[in-house]
Amino acid sequence: MILSMTGYAVQTRDLGRVALHLELRSVNSRYLDLAFRINDDLRQAEPILREAITGKLSRGKVECRFNLQTKDSAPRELAMNAVLLGQLKNAQLAIQAELPQAAPLSVAEVLRWPGMLADDSPTFDALQPEIVRLVAAALDELVATRRREGEKLAEMIRGRIAHMRGLVARVQPRVPALVAEYQEKLATRLRDAAATLDDDRIRLEVGLFAQRVDVAEELPRLSTHPDEVDRILKTGGASGKRLDFLMQELNREANTLGSKAMAADMTAIAVELKLAIEQMREQVQNIE
């Protein structure tokens, strides 16, 4: 399948008191360009994200926003540090033995003591399996959106290719007719300019004209290059660079055809060919 480089995905995992939120956006780029915006709590997840993305995508500018959201409304479990509490208790008894007038610690002071209450937020190691699953799901969603967009691009390119084939088919029978028309006009001019007709001179001039308007090389290429575009679209995969090269070749042949056009209808066809190629080239820039 043909993949576009434009896509979007968002995945959220509710883990009780916290939630993982991952957002992926991708646009066209010459290479694979990754940008990360990750909460400090999840900074260790960047290698996981980078490895997963490079394993799935080959081109595009991908922006990753990953954060850990804490839900204040979720109930918290208060777990006291029993060892520290015992140490505080022994320290208070020792102080009061030396200083009987010293005021005892209040409950609030004990709870605020550094390290007394354990943090019930999950550690990164505990979150890692869920992070791996979340990243995989987000990438699957991103690839699916890029695939749907790629199908639309491929359909548009096929339509332009069919239009090009019709234009080329109109050019092919016109070349012999143009040479014949020129031969008749040249013969008429020479008859008017000279008392006797020099057949060799007419044949020479017609031969030179035929060389100038000879599109024997351009027309086959304007037929075979579209065939190659069709083949690439059917094969799929990362094909944007190959398609872009073919668009350059098609544009070169269309320019040459336009320069050799000796009639208004051929010039119009060459212009229409260039327009169709440019429309395809704009879309090819978005293909992976």
Side-chain angles (χ1 to χ4, degrees):
M1 298 294 294
I2 293 294
L3 298 181
S4 168
M5 285 186 280
T6 301
Y8 176 79
V10 60
Q11 289 283 324
T12 301
R13 290 291 184 276
D14 191 336
L15 303 177
R17 219 176 68 76
V18 298
L20 291 169
H21 182 81
L22 175 60
E23 184 177 356
L24 301 176
R25 299 174 183 266
S26 71
V27 295
N28 60 316
S29 176
R30 192 173 180 183
Y31 306 103
L32 183 60
D33 182 10
L34 306 183
F36 297 97
R37 290 171 174 79
I38 305 176
N39 278 13
D40 289 340
D41 293 340
L42 299 173
R43 182 58 59 184
Q44 292 171 270
E46 183 174 328
I48 298 174
L49 276 163
R50 187 179 296 275
E51 182 179 358
I53 294 171
T54 54
K56 283 275 190 178
L57 309 178
S58 60
R59 289 180 67 198
K61 180 178 176 60
V62 183
E63 180 182 338
C64 310
R65 295 178 179 271
F66 195 24
N67 56 71
L68 185 68
Q69 301 169 343
T70 302
K71 294 182 288 185
D72 295 331
S73 59
R76 298 189 60 176
E77 295 183 4
L78 296 181
M80 288 189 297
N81 187 330
V83 175
L84 180 59
L85 181 61
Q87 291 173 347
L88 282 177
K89 176 183 177 181
N90 293 334
Q92 177 172 272
L93 291 174
I95 291 173
Q96 287 178 331
E98 296 294 330
L99 302 170
Q101 70 277 15
L105 288 170
S106 67
V107 172
E109 288 172 331
V110 172
L111 291 177
R112 287 197 300 267
W113 197 272
M116 180 56 68
L117 290 178
D119 185 2
D120 61 344
S121 297
T123 64
F124 180 80
D125 289 341
L127 291 173
Q128 186 167 343
E130 194 62 44
I131 290 173
V132 172
R133 288 190 288 270
L134 178 71
V135 172
L139 272 173
D140 287 344
E141 183 182 347
L142 181 68
V143 170
T145 61
R146 287 164 61 119
R147 181 180 295 113
R148 289 193 295 270
E149 184 68 20
E151 290 173 358
K152 295 177 184 177
L153 295 176
E155 189 62 29
M156 190 283 295
I157 293 172
R158 289 190 185 99
R160 294 292 87 197
I161 287 295
H163 180 56
M164 281 186 60
R165 288 195 173 106
L167 293 172
V168 173
R170 287 165 53 190
V171 171
Q172 288 173 329
R174 285 290 289 134
V175 177
L178 285 174
V179 174
E181 290 171 9
Y182 180 77
Q183 183 175 3
E184 181 62 31
K185 291 178 182 179
L186 181 61
T188 301
R189 288 201 302 269
L190 289 177
R191 288 190 187 99
D192 294 339
T196 58
L197 179 62
D198 186 347
D199 291 337
D200 290 338
R201 176 66 182 277
I202 293 176
R203 284 194 293 269
L204 176 61
E205 290 293 335
V206 170
L208 292 173
F209 175 77
Q211 289 179 7
R212 289 200 301 271
V213 299
D214 181 20
V215 288
E217 293 183 4
E218 289 75 23
L219 290 180
R221 289 172 186 159
L222 286 169
S223 297
T224 57
H225 289 340
D227 291 342
E228 180 64 10
V229 172
D230 269 341
R231 188 194 67 79
I232 292 173
L233 292 177
K234 290 177 183 177
T235 304
S239 53
K241 291 182 179 179
R242 285 180 291 165
L243 287 171
D244 187 54
F245 171 75
L246 283 172
M247 293 304 113
Q248 295 176 41
E249 293 300 303
L250 282 168
N251 191 60
R252 183 180 296 111
E253 303 302 336
N255 281 331
T256 305
L257 182 67
S259 68
K260 292 182 176 181
M262 293 299 175
D265 58 343
M266 284 190 63
T267 300
I269 289 174
V271 170
E272 202 167 343
L273 276 171
K274 291 173 65 175
L275 177 60
I277 294 166
E278 184 59 30
Q279 290 171 341
M280 287 190 293
R281 192 172 183 180
E282 288 177 0
Q283 301 305 321
V284 163
Q285 304 304 312
N286 293 318
I287 293 178
E288 184 179 12

